Amino acid sequence: MNTKRLNEIIRVNHAGENGAVAIYKGQINALKFMGDKKTLPLIYDMLEGEKVHAKEFDKIIEKKRTRATALMPLWHLSGFTLGVASALGGRDTLMACTEAVEEVIDKHYSDQIKELEDSKKEPEILEIIKQFHEDELEHEEIAKNEISENTPALKAFKKIVKVGCRAAISLSEKI
């Protein structure tokens, strides 16, 4: 694995974890506004996990002297907006958002794990990604279990969210 590729991995994961924090913050703001006390503790818990991930990638960015994505302000805004919109759509929509994002991240992290294992380089970063991958899988499972009915509209929403996540990944690696 060359330095350029390692920097892409670090940059995109840094962006993604910060984007996840923005989504959960948007959801929390909307849930508070709507008075949804049932969902708030679950989302706060997921937010705390994502904050740990984001802080770890903040450290890696600094340690490896990797440039963060220039699109970070856009990801903060779009993540927060997606969080608010998904929460305003109701509990199923909020959970569908998390499920869709985590499905994309599952594949994304799985691919990176294989790539890092094959390279036999950067064992510390590999272990961090493996740990974070497990956390993301847990969030995906929680979200799947919390959805009461997978309606056609919810399935369409998840597809849209997945397309957006894949685009954000592609852009954040390079820009």
Side-chain angles (χ1 to χ4, degrees):
M1 172 173 301
N2 62 35
T3 303
K4 179 181 181 235
R5 179 62 187 137
L6 178 62
N7 285 334
E8 289 173 351
I9 288 171
I10 294 168
R11 181 174 22 265
V12 71
N13 292 350
H14 178 256
E17 296 298 352
N18 279 282
V21 168
I23 291 170
Y24 287 127
K25 284 182 175 180
Q27 289 175 338
I28 287 167
N29 275 276
L31 290 170
K32 284 180 178 178
F33 176 77
M34 297 182 320
D36 182 344
K37 292 181 179 155
K38 179 183 177 194
T39 309
L40 269 170
L42 185 58
I43 302 306
Y44 269 119
D45 188 51
M46 288 190 217
L47 171 62
E48 289 309 308
E50 298 300 342
K51 282 181 176 179
V52 169
H53 296 180
K55 284 180 185 174
E56 186 63 34
F57 273 105
D58 285 344
K59 291 177 193 171
I60 294 170
I61 281 266
E62 187 174 321
K63 181 181 177 183
K64 294 291 187 174
R65 296 186 173 166
T66 300
R67 177 186 54 79
T69 180
L71 299 171
M72 193 67 83
L74 177 62
W75 299 154
H76 281 291
L77 178 61
S78 59
F80 188 87
T81 302
L82 176 60
V84 169
S86 67
L88 291 176
R91 186 177 172 92
D92 280 352
T93 306
L94 179 147
M95 292 299 168
C97 177
T98 297
E99 180 186 355
V101 169
E102 299 299 11
E103 277 185 25
V104 172
I105 299 310
D106 175 14
K107 173 150 180 21
H108 171 72
Y109 272 165
S110 293
D111 291 347
Q112 286 183 350
I113 289 167
K114 179 170 179 3
E115 187 176 356
L116 286 163
E117 285 175 341
D118 289 349
S119 78
K120 299 188 182 353
K121 294 182 181 177
E122 301 298 333
E124 290 176 28
I125 292 175
L126 172 61
E127 287 309 309
I128 289 166
I129 292 172
K130 282 182 174 179
Q131 176 189 340
F132 292 177
H133 183 231
E134 289 301 315
D135 295 343
E136 306 302 354
L137 290 173
E138 184 179 319
H139 293 171
E140 180 183 351
E141 191 62 29
I142 290 167
K144 281 181 183 178
N145 291 333
E146 291 292 325
I147 295 172
S148 63
E149 183 182 3
N150 257 314
T151 63
L154 210 55
K155 288 177 184 176
F157 175 70
K158 286 192 274 190
K159 284 183 181 180
I160 292 166
V161 171
K162 287 178 186 181
V163 167
C165 284
R166 288 184 196 109
I169 288 169
S170 293
L171 292 168
S172 293
E173 280 184 341
K174 307 296 182 192
I175 299 174

